[in-house]
């Protein structure tokens, strides 16, 4: 079977993407070493863990050395903003968001390009609606996601042997979303958000698209039902 590496696989959307791809791919489950990651690997019999901090570039380089051929790379890892205005966002917050949401994805992609080229692979970036528009209080986060969109678009042009897909979901029912809604001071209603399984299904569908087509951008918006 083809091999897929999924970052942020320990929970949320990343874990659901792993479950969606398990029947058709050998899996490398990326994430910081944790009981959650190990439990998912046991659930998905045959899956292997890829326990590395994506912002530790030396460890990341060492972890990727053994990967010589890779069919699918899904970038699902990411962090949310503290929802502050530009006037109130310190430089450290900008650095943190850009390091995790953009630079880590760029570096992992760079390190795995030889393996992806060898397989004629597919790179999927889980972006956000914030990668297409900016709302008040979300500027630093949106900047990281606009950058991720540029990374995907540039990679697609520079690596014609690869397929590169950006997925732009609206807000998703996850633990991270609960934290955001709490910061916003609103009541949490999961029906207002996309299900993680729905986003995972869209990612799996893009990956399974026959090779005569290149799914470049997938946009998902919650219907509220």
């Amino acid at each position: 079977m083809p091999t897929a590496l999924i970052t942020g696989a320990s929970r949320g959307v990343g874990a659901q993407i792993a479950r969606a791809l398990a029947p058709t791919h050998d899996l490398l489950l990326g994430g910081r070493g944790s009981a959650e990651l190990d439990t998912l690997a046991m659930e998905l019999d045959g899956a292997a863990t890829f326990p590395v901090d994506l912002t530790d570039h030396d460890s990341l380089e060492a972890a990727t050395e053994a990967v010589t051929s890779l069919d699918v790379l899904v970038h699902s890892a990411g962090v949310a903003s503290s929802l502050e205005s530009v006037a109130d966002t310190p430089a450290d917050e900008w650095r943190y968001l850009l390091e995790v949401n953009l630079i880590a994805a760029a570096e992992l992609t760079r390190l795995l390009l030889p393996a992806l080229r060898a397989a004629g692979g597919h790179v999927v970036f889980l972006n956000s609606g914030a990668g297409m528009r900016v709302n008040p209080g979300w500027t630093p986060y949106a900047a990281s996601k606009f950058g991720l969109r540029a990374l995907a678009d540039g990679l697609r042009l520079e690596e014609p042997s690869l397929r590169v897909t950006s997925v732009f979901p609206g807000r998703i029912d996850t633990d991270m979303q609960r934290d955001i809604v709490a910061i916003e001071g609103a009541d949490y209603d999961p029906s207002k958000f996309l299900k993680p399984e729905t986003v995972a299904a869209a990612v799996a569908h893009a990956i399974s698209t026959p090779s005569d087509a290149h799914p470049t951008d997938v946009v998902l918006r919650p219907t509220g039902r």
Side-chain angles (χ1 to χ4, degrees):
M1 287 198 295
T3 301
L5 168 58
I6 304 151
T7 70
S10 59
R11 61 177 184 162
V13 177
Q16 293 301 334
I17 292 171
R19 292 184 177 102
L21 294 181
T24 55
H25 291 75
D26 292 323
L27 298 181
L28 291 171
L29 305 177
R32 288 186 175 92
S34 67
E36 291 174 311
L37 195 65
D38 292 339
T39 298
L40 182 63
M42 292 177 63
E43 174 192 333
L44 304 177
D45 187 29
T49 60
F50 185 80
V52 63
D53 179 349
L54 296 177
T55 64
D56 183 342
H57 296 170
D58 290 339
S59 296
L60 191 63
E61 183 171 8
T64 57
E65 286 179 352
V67 183
T68 58
S69 182
L70 184 66
D71 298 276
V72 176
L73 171 60
V74 180
H75 292 285
S76 184
V79 293
S81 174
S82 59
L83 305 185
E84 295 178 332
S85 67
V86 172
D88 295 325
T89 304
D92 285 347
E93 178 75 1
W94 284 91
R95 291 190 187 97
Y96 173 63
L97 289 166
L98 291 170
E99 179 68 37
V100 177
N101 291 347
L102 176 57
I103 296 172
E107 181 64 359
L108 180 60
T109 301
R110 182 186 72 83
L111 292 169
L112 289 174
L113 269 177
L116 288 161
R117 289 170 182 150
H122 193 159
V123 184
V124 179
F125 294 91
L126 192 66
N127 202 296
S128 166
M132 306 181 78
R133 67 186 185 282
V134 185
N135 290 322
W138 288 86
T139 303
Y141 178 76
S144 72
K145 292 299 187 177
F146 268 70
L148 193 67
R149 180 180 184 180
L151 171 61
D153 290 349
L155 182 68
R156 191 180 301 116
L157 293 172
E158 293 173 1
E159 300 289 338
S161 68
L162 307 182
R163 294 200 296 183
V164 180
T165 302
S166 287
V167 181
F168 299 92
R171 297 175 72 162
I172 309 168
D173 176 22
T174 61
D175 292 340
M176 183 184 295
Q177 195 65 239
R178 289 181 181 274
D179 293 339
I180 292 170
V181 172
I183 293 171
E184 294 172 332
D187 294 329
Y188 193 83
D189 180 357
S191 69
K192 293 181 179 179
F193 308 123
L194 293 163
K195 297 177 182 178
E197 296 88 343
T198 300
V199 179
V203 171
H205 186 268
I207 291 168
S208 67
T209 299
S211 60
D212 62 308
H214 192 153
T216 57
D217 299 289
V218 178
V219 180
L220 302 173
R221 294 288 177 266
T223 60
R225 59 176 194 269

